[in-house]
Amino acid sequence: MSKPALGLLLGFEDSMADFVELARQGEAAGMDSMYTVEAGRSAFVSAAAVIAATERVAVGTYIANAYARKPWLTAIAARDLDEMSEGRFTLGLGTGNRHFNEWYMGIDDFRPLGKLRDYIGIVRSAVAGRAGEPVRYEGDHHRIRWRASWEPTRPSIPVYLSASGPKMVRLAGEVADGVGVGVMSSVEFMRDIVRPAAREAAGDAGRDPDSLAFPMGSFISINEDPELARKVTQATICGLFHPVPHPYYVSQLRQLGFDEFADAAAHLVPQGQMREAMDLVPDEVVDTMSITGTPAQCAARIADYDGLADEIILYWLPQRTDPPGLAGYESLFEVVSLASA
């Protein structure tokens, strides 16, 4: 079975200078890809900075918010980034969540399936548009009438759709190049839930299921003391319920049978009872839905996804015992070396 490529999720560092330097170091350490998250920073601006600082690695957004911008604007940004990177760019799209959509932007994230179907249809058409050729699309949510001014760098750019629930997973299989799974993805979730549903949907849509990519994100908590690593993972998982539960990850927990913990965390964490919630995180959640432990244990966990995930995009969790600044990432680069051996 093929080993997954290894990527790094960027955008949580203290400065743009830090995450650009981190991208350089990750490339030098043999990582395969760098992805920028759309949270406190713009995924597209961050991706441009990473592209300028690297030479070999694939660079993408994981995940850009489809509700934050119109599909044409997303498409031309993707074309620009693909040109800048000489064909190294991947566009990851998703619906966002209540924090971003309702609170930050004051928009309704209604009817996501229909919106994303139109959105990806336009983006795929526009990124492939030849100079002077018309791009036309009429959907229920979005439409476009446009002509590109110059040739695209490639005939197409890979488009990943963030998916967790059954309906969105099927939509990704129908219309996207890859099913982008979030940062708590167990082997069971990938093998028994995501892959079969997406592949079936691709076949039903007349597409080749083997053409689908299955990237996934994962928390990675590395410590020579595995119990300290587990505590960091527990706290991070509970953080997904603050200030309100994140529907994407609640869905993943429920689909794998962890309803009792999801209910308890949804009650405790918004009230500030983080320690109480941490005590309730099932060991199985840490063991199967994250990559946690010593460097050797983390490398072994990565190997569990051989043949199931095409790419694992690592979300590094800092430890209190780590050296300050970017030096803390040395443990991650050690895991990458062990996993690649």
Side-chain angles (χ1 to χ4, degrees):
M1 291 187 293
S2 59
K3 292 183 178 182
L6 295 179
L8 181 58
L9 196 63
L10 300 165
F12 300 100
E13 295 72 30
D14 290 337
S15 70
M16 190 169 289
D18 277 352
F19 79 71
V20 166
E21 177 58 27
L22 180 57
R24 290 194 188 100
Q25 292 184 17
E27 183 175 61
M31 301 197 78
D32 301 294
S33 56
M34 299 287 151
Y35 286 87
T36 57
V37 63
E38 190 144 73
R41 300 182 184 275
S42 160
F44 289 108
V45 174
S46 300
V50 172
I51 286 167
T54 57
E55 298 178 354
R56 173 189 56 82
V57 291
V59 179
T61 57
Y62 207 86
I63 295 291
N65 190 326
Y67 282 91
R69 54 184 67 82
K70 297 296 184 182
W72 172 77
L73 192 59
T74 295
I76 62 170
R79 287 173 65 111
D80 288 346
L81 291 168
D82 204 46
E83 181 180 352
M84 288 176 63
S85 65
E86 299 181 323
R88 292 188 285 137
F89 182 68
T90 296
L91 175 64
L93 293 169
T95 58
N97 57 54
R98 187 180 181 188
H99 306 68
F100 302 131
N101 297 347
E102 181 181 338
W103 295 356
Y104 299 174
M105 296 184 289
I107 57 177
D108 294 322
D109 51 1
F110 64 98
R111 299 175 65 188
L113 293 172
K115 177 185 176 66
L116 267 296
R117 183 184 297 277
D118 283 353
Y119 201 103
I120 290 179
I122 289 176
V123 166
R124 288 169 70 88
S125 297
V127 298
R130 303 289 302 275
E133 291 182 354
V135 174
R136 303 285 187 267
Y137 187 100
E138 291 286 340
D140 294 332
H141 299 264
H142 294 288
R143 64 184 183 275
I144 187 174
R145 294 175 57 85
W146 179 66
R147 293 175 188 268
S149 300
W150 55 87
E151 296 294 319
T153 300
R154 290 183 283 173
S156 65
I157 296 171
V159 178
Y160 296 163
L161 176 58
S162 173
S164 174
K167 293 181 180 179
M168 193 64 77
V169 168
R170 285 193 61 86
L171 179 64
E174 291 177 30
V175 303
D177 298 298
V179 187
V181 187
V183 291
M184 291 205 305
S185 307
S186 67
V187 166
E188 178 187 7
F189 191 63
M190 296 296 292
R191 182 191 64 215
D192 301 336
I193 298 176
V194 173
R195 289 181 64 95
R199 288 177 59 85
E200 181 184 51
D204 290 346
R207 306 178 67 201
D208 179 5
D210 291 338
S211 69
L212 282 178
F214 290 91
M216 57 167 270
S218 180
F219 292 133
I220 183 164
S221 180
I222 312 162
N223 201 307
E224 291 294 347
D225 183 336
E227 286 307 309
L228 292 181
R230 295 179 71 84
K231 289 293 185 184
V232 173
T233 299
Q234 290 168 347
T236 304
I237 290 171
C238 290
L240 297 172
F241 292 81
H242 175 79
V244 294
H246 193 306
Y248 188 106
Y249 300 108
V250 171
S251 169
Q252 286 181 280
L253 286 164
R254 293 191 186 283
Q255 288 183 74
L256 291 167
F258 298 110
D259 300 73
E260 185 175 349
F261 166 66
D263 289 340
H267 172 71
L268 292 169
V269 175
Q271 297 186 40
Q273 296 178 276
M274 178 67 77
R275 290 189 178 276
E276 291 83 352
M278 286 176 58
D279 290 339
L280 298 177
V281 178
D283 288 341
E284 189 179 356
V285 169
V286 175
D287 294 335
T288 66
M289 299 180 74
S290 75
I291 298 171
T292 296
T294 66
Q297 289 170 336
C298 288
R301 278 284 293 127
I302 288 171
D304 291 342
Y305 293 93
D306 289 0
L308 296 176
D310 296 293
E311 185 174 17
I312 300 179
I313 303 165
L314 299 169
Y315 182 167
W316 178 77
L317 303 182
Q319 315 283 306
R320 285 187 297 175
T321 53
D322 286 336
L326 298 185
Y329 282 85
E330 285 303 317
S331 60
L332 173 66
F333 300 149
E334 179 184 356
V335 171
V336 169
S337 177
L338 291 170
S340 301

